[in-house]
């Protein structure tokens, strides 16, 4: 991979460092991400000021008025959430907030994946039957879903229910539910709030109601940690608002003000004893997502709602076991489907009926990543002649591919984002779908349009550091912030002309190597995971350059190390 060094403006970095009273390394991060000095100052010294006022999402005032009126009418409140981590936290936020309102009762429902995504007719009919003899009909609130559920909303409205949709997905005007209140950042022309996750939208609605009634934010401040988890789990772009929100949320989770569920997680699951964005993105969120993937979404909900420490320990133990089982099934599934797939096709389509529906997207993602091709994992619906599937791509955007197939009649539906989505199709259309997609991609390759999606990977280097900079103080300052892949990417540093003093392979996994490296003044042991082939490929040099990220030492959690991104021979 190419290394692209930032053209550092030393004078600007010095200005940021001096005026903001931060280290040059932290100043370098803000300068290289084009964060102006006033925004950087607010993030560093007054992050709460950025998120204090609720985001003025399109339709916010109407949603606040509607929710307050329904509460005033003493309507029971039923919240329909989603089964992923964003949906779990969104449902938790909304139900906790509504339940603390005077004389109000809220009940949240988390569907399993087999019930399919979003507000369902089955759920609606159960509620209608439950309240058939009631004079006061409930308010149904959707969180992180509902924006396309036109028929379901009509069913509820025809039976006297009030409906409030809160979502954060792109709107198809033809599918918008009618005769209800919708809070979604994609409504209208304003782009305000479009980087909010479902939990972020729910949290801001609660905050807006709280501001209207209480003129303070004491209660929603206590729910901020859940919005942080949802934001990072849903991989939302880290604009200034989301940076401030997650920074405060992470700080709260590491403080005495952390709720008991987080304290128990820190004590029993977090090896470093400190929560940062990596811990949430790579450990906590996958654990909670595993509950929905493995058919026990309520277990994830229990973690959020439970306060008793003893029960929380039992819940975390159960979640850990479920997540371990998920990993085993996922690894086995990938091994098995790789034996059957044809890597020479333009699109890889595999049968996933033997595996839990919740891991189909993970399988498709791993295959797409390995073969650099769009991948689909299909499963036939019980007693129906229909396939549902998860699809992933790291080349041509899925909306480009699948919207074309929908128009061609090869798909019944497609929903999702550019690189991750879900589809449904008649079983008889599988071969037509794969053939049509393959023809489209071959045509793109022939006329050159495919090339725009294939980019030679380049590592963005923020600055050249020394081994002495790999320390806990710098790590903690860097990890106070969350990072994404584009808007506020995690910093990567270069360490040049390091002498290789010793190499020790792992006994269990010989491709993992422990390097003892020296820059002439300081030495450090750094593990390179699955790096032996790369080191041999560059000629096993005595001097190396390393591109890496400063992080917690996996083996010695209270120490700091370097996560190796790339290694090359020194010039």
């Amino acid at each position: 991979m190419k290394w692209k060094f930032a053209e550092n403006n030393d004078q600007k970095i010095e200005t940021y460092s001096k005026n903001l009273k931060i280290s040059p390394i932290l100043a370098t991060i803000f300068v290289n991400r084009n964060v102006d000095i006033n925004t950087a100052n607010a993030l560093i010294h007054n992050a709460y000021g950025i998120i204090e006022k609720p985001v003025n999402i399109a339709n916010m005032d109407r949603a606040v008025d509607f929710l307050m009126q329904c509460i005033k009418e003493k309507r029971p409140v039923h919240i329909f959430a989603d089964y992923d981590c964003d949906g779990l936290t969104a449902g938790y936020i909304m139900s906790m907030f509504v339940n603390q309102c005077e004389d109000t009762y809220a009940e949240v429902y988390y569907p399993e994946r087999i019930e399919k995504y979003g507000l369902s007719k089955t759920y609606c009919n159960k509620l209608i039957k439950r309240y058939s003899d009631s004079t006061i009909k409930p308010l149904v609130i959707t969180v992180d879903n509902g924006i396309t559920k036109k028929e379901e909303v009509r069913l509820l409205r025809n039976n006297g229910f009030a409906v409030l949709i809160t979502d954060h997905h792109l709107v198809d005007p033809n599918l918008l539910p009618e005769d209800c209140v919708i809070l979604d950042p994609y409504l209208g022309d304003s782009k305000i709030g479009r980087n909010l996750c479902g939990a972020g939208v729910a949290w801001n609605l609660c905050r807006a109601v709280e501001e209207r009634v209480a003129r303070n934010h004491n209660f929603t401040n206590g729910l901020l940690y859940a919005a942080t988890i949802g934001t990072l789990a849903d991989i939302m772009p880290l604009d200034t608002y989301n940076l401030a929100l997650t920074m405060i949320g992470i700080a709260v989770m590491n403080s005495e003000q952390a709720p008991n569920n987080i304290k128990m997680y820190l004590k029993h699951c977090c090896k470093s004893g400190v929560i940062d964005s990596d811990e949430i993105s790579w450990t906590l969120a996958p654990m909670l997502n595993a509950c929905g993937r493995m058919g026990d979404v309520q277990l994830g909900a229990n973690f959020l709602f439970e306060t008793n420490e003893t029960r929380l320990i039992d819940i975390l133990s159960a979640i850990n076991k479920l997540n371990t089982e998920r990993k085993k099934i996922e690894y086995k599934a990938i091994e098995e489907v790789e034996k059957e797939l044809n890597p020479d096709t333009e699109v890889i389509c595999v049968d996933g009926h033997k595996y839990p529906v919740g891991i189909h997207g993970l399988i498709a993602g791993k295959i797409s990543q390995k073969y650099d091709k769009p991948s689909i994992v299909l499963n036939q619906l019980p007693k129906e002649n229909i396939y549902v599937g998860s699809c992933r791509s790291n080349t041509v955007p899925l909306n480009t591919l699948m919207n074309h197939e929908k128009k061609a009649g090869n798909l019944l539906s497609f929903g999702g984002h550019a690189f991750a989505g879900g589809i449904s199709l008649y079983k008889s259309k599988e071969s037509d779908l794969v053939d049509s997609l393959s023809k489209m991609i071959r045509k793109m390759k022939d006329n050159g349009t495919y090339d725009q999606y294939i980019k030679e990977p380049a590592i963005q280097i923020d600055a050249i550091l020394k081994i002495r900079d790999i320390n806990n103080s710098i790590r903690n300052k860097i990890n106070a912030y969350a990072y994404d892949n584009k808007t506020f990417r995690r910093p990567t540093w270069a360490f040049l002309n390091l002498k290789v003093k010793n190499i020790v392979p792992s006994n269990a996994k010989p491709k993992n190597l422990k390097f003892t490296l020296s820059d002439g003044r300081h030495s450090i042991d750094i593990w390179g995971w699955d790096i032996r082939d790369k080191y041999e490929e560059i000629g096993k040099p005595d001097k190396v350059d390393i591109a890496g990220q400063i992080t917690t030492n996996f083996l010695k959690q209270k120490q700091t190390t370097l996560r190796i991104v790339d290694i090359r021979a020194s010039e």
Side-chain angles (χ1 to χ4, degrees):
M1 287 187 283
K2 288 184 177 179
W3 292 20
K4 185 177 181 180
F5 288 81
E7 297 179 2
N8 286 327
N9 184 328
D10 293 340
Q11 184 176 355
K12 190 173 184 180
I13 290 171
E14 184 179 352
T15 298
Y16 273 51
S17 179
K18 181 179 179 180
N19 292 352
L20 301 178
K21 297 180 173 58
I22 58 176
S23 70
I25 289 177
L26 193 56
T28 298
I29 296 172
F30 284 111
V31 170
N32 287 352
R33 281 141 196 77
N34 298 313
V35 179
D36 67 78
I37 195 165
N38 291 329
T39 300
N41 183 60
L43 284 166
I44 295 164
H45 300 298
N46 187 26
Y48 185 83
I50 296 172
I51 59 100
E52 181 179 11
K53 296 289 184 183
V55 177
N56 191 25
I57 305 166
N59 241 8
M60 177 63 88
D61 286 341
R62 187 181 175 201
V64 170
D65 291 339
F66 184 68
L67 179 55
M68 289 179 64
Q69 181 61 34
C70 288
I71 292 173
K72 184 178 179 181
E73 293 170 356
K74 301 188 185 303
R75 290 179 182 257
V77 178
H78 288 268
I79 300 159
F80 189 96
D82 191 18
Y83 41 67
D84 68 0
C85 193
D86 186 20
L88 282 168
T89 50
Y92 167 77
I93 289 167
M94 187 63 72
S95 61
M96 290 292 289
F97 181 79
V98 173
N99 273 322
Q100 60 89 39
C101 297
E102 188 175 354
D103 297 327
T104 305
Y105 169 74
E107 185 178 297
V108 61
Y109 180 77
Y110 294 104
E112 298 290 355
R113 280 180 180 263
I114 58 172
E115 299 175 52
K116 302 180 187 177
Y117 170 76
L119 184 66
S120 67
K121 288 182 180 178
T122 299
Y123 173 82
C124 294
N125 283 321
K126 286 182 179 178
L127 277 186
I128 291 167
K129 183 178 179 180
R130 177 174 167 181
Y131 287 93
S132 59
D133 297 328
S134 298
T135 303
I136 299 177
K137 302 296 184 181
L139 164 66
V140 173
I141 304 176
T142 67
V143 291
D144 193 30
N145 74 96
I147 196 67
T148 63
K149 294 298 182 174
K150 197 169 186 175
E151 293 182 12
E152 290 79 0
V153 170
R154 185 185 300 119
L155 177 61
L156 289 171
R157 292 295 295 126
N158 287 343
N159 284 274
F161 285 63
V163 180
L164 171 59
I165 303 290
T166 74
D167 207 339
H168 73 121
H169 295 103
L170 187 63
V171 178
D172 180 343
N174 296 318
L175 297 177
L176 275 177
E178 299 168 345
D179 194 22
C180 66
V181 175
I182 303 174
L183 182 66
D184 187 307
Y186 282 94
L187 285 177
D189 297 326
S190 173
K191 294 184 179 180
I192 294 174
R194 290 190 178 178
N195 289 334
L196 293 173
C197 65
V201 172
W203 186 76
N204 271 279
L205 173 58
C206 296
R207 201 163 179 83
V209 172
E210 184 180 51
E211 184 172 75
R212 181 86 65 87
V213 176
R215 302 191 183 280
N216 66 56
H217 298 304
N218 294 337
F219 194 82
T220 53
N221 283 345
L223 300 174
L224 178 59
Y225 84 96
T228 296
I229 294 170
T231 299
L232 295 176
D234 227 38
I235 320 177
M236 302 308 297
L238 292 174
D239 59 8
T240 301
Y241 182 89
N242 280 343
L243 267 176
L245 185 148
T246 54
M247 180 184 177
I248 297 168
I250 288 170
V252 168
M253 284 187 267
N254 288 304
S255 74
E256 286 298 318
Q257 284 71 48
N260 275 352
N261 54 2
I262 297 300
K263 287 179 179 178
M264 291 300 100
Y265 175 83
L266 279 164
K267 185 175 181 180
H268 297 280
C269 299
C270 182
K271 294 181 179 178
S272 67
V274 176
I275 287 184
D276 57 22
S277 63
D278 273 358
E279 181 69 27
I280 295 171
S281 299
W282 296 106
T283 306
L284 176 56
M287 283 174 61
L288 295 177
N289 274 326
C291 301
R293 294 186 187 282
M294 299 295 287
D296 194 356
V297 67
Q298 192 57 46
L299 186 60
N302 291 345
F303 167 75
L304 291 171
F305 285 95
E306 186 57 70
T307 58
N308 179 271
E309 294 185 2
T310 301
R311 287 194 289 270
L312 275 166
I313 293 170
D314 292 338
I315 289 168
L316 284 167
S317 176
I319 292 176
N320 264 321
K321 289 179 182 177
L322 201 65
N323 194 36
T324 299
E325 181 65 18
R326 187 270 303 172
K327 291 177 183 178
K328 289 179 181 177
I329 294 173
E330 179 188 341
Y331 296 152
K332 181 181 179 183
I334 292 168
E335 285 182 357
E336 290 178 350
V337 299
E338 278 201 283
K339 294 176 182 177
E340 304 294 332
L341 62 80
N342 180 359
D344 298 324
T345 59
E346 300 293 352
V347 175
I348 296 175
C349 184
V350 299
D351 180 6
H353 81 275
K354 294 191 297 183
Y355 314 110
V357 174
I359 69 165
H360 287 184
L362 299 177
I363 297 170
K366 291 289 177 63
I367 293 172
S368 177
Q369 187 177 30
K370 181 171 181 178
Y371 295 96
D372 285 326
K373 295 178 180 180
S375 300
I376 304 169
V377 178
L378 293 176
N379 183 49
Q380 186 172 348
L381 289 178
K383 300 180 181 180
E384 293 186 44
N385 197 30
I386 292 176
Y387 278 143
V388 293
S390 292
C391 45
R392 299 290 186 270
S393 176
N394 60 354
T395 53
V396 186
L398 288 172
N399 50 340
T400 299
L401 296 173
M402 298 306 177
N403 287 336
H404 174 271
E405 295 308 311
K406 193 175 177 182
K407 291 178 182 177
N410 292 327
L411 285 180
L412 291 172
S413 67
F414 164 71
H417 306 288
F419 304 107
I423 59 173
S424 66
L425 64 152
Y426 288 115
K427 187 177 178 181
S428 59
K429 286 289 185 178
E430 178 188 358
S431 59
D432 292 342
L433 173 67
V434 174
D435 289 344
S436 179
L437 287 171
S438 296
K439 287 178 183 177
M440 189 192 312
I441 292 174
R442 282 196 293 270
K443 184 178 180 180
M444 287 179 172
K445 289 182 176 180
D446 290 341
N447 64 26
T449 57
Y450 186 80
D451 295 342
Q452 65 182 302
Y453 304 115
I454 306 298
K455 297 180 180 179
E456 183 179 356
I459 299 172
Q460 305 291 325
I461 305 292
D462 281 286
I464 299 170
L465 300 184
K466 297 291 185 182
I467 286 177
R468 67 171 181 268
D469 297 314
I470 305 174
N471 61 65
N472 289 359
S473 176
I474 289 176
R475 179 197 71 189
N476 292 339
K477 289 173 183 175
I478 291 173
N479 287 350
Y481 300 89
Y483 299 93
D484 58 13
N485 293 327
K486 186 177 180 181
T487 310
F488 200 76
R489 61 178 176 78
R490 180 169 290 281
T492 301
W493 316 97
F495 299 81
L496 306 181
N497 298 311
L498 302 179
K499 181 175 178 57
V500 181
K501 299 176 69 175
N502 193 28
I503 297 176
V504 178
S506 166
N507 291 328
K509 296 182 178 180
K511 288 193 175 184
N512 296 340
L513 302 179
K514 182 174 74 171
F515 294 91
T516 301
L517 304 170
S518 171
D519 61 8
R521 299 189 65 181
H522 299 87
S523 295
I524 191 172
D525 290 338
I526 300 175
W527 278 97
W529 310 112
D530 200 26
I531 203 171
R532 188 186 68 187
D533 292 347
K534 174 69 175 180
Y535 184 60
E536 291 178 350
E537 180 186 313
I538 63 175
K540 297 192 289 187
D542 294 331
K543 279 197 170 184
V544 295
D545 299 339
I546 287 182
Q549 298 168 344
I550 296 173
T551 187
T552 302
N553 190 320
F554 180 76
L555 298 175
K556 299 177 180 179
Q557 296 288 328
K558 293 186 178 180
Q559 296 181 15
T560 298
T561 189
L562 200 68
R563 180 190 296 123
I564 297 176
V565 176
D566 196 21
I567 186 171
R568 68 185 189 185
S570 299
E571 294 180 356

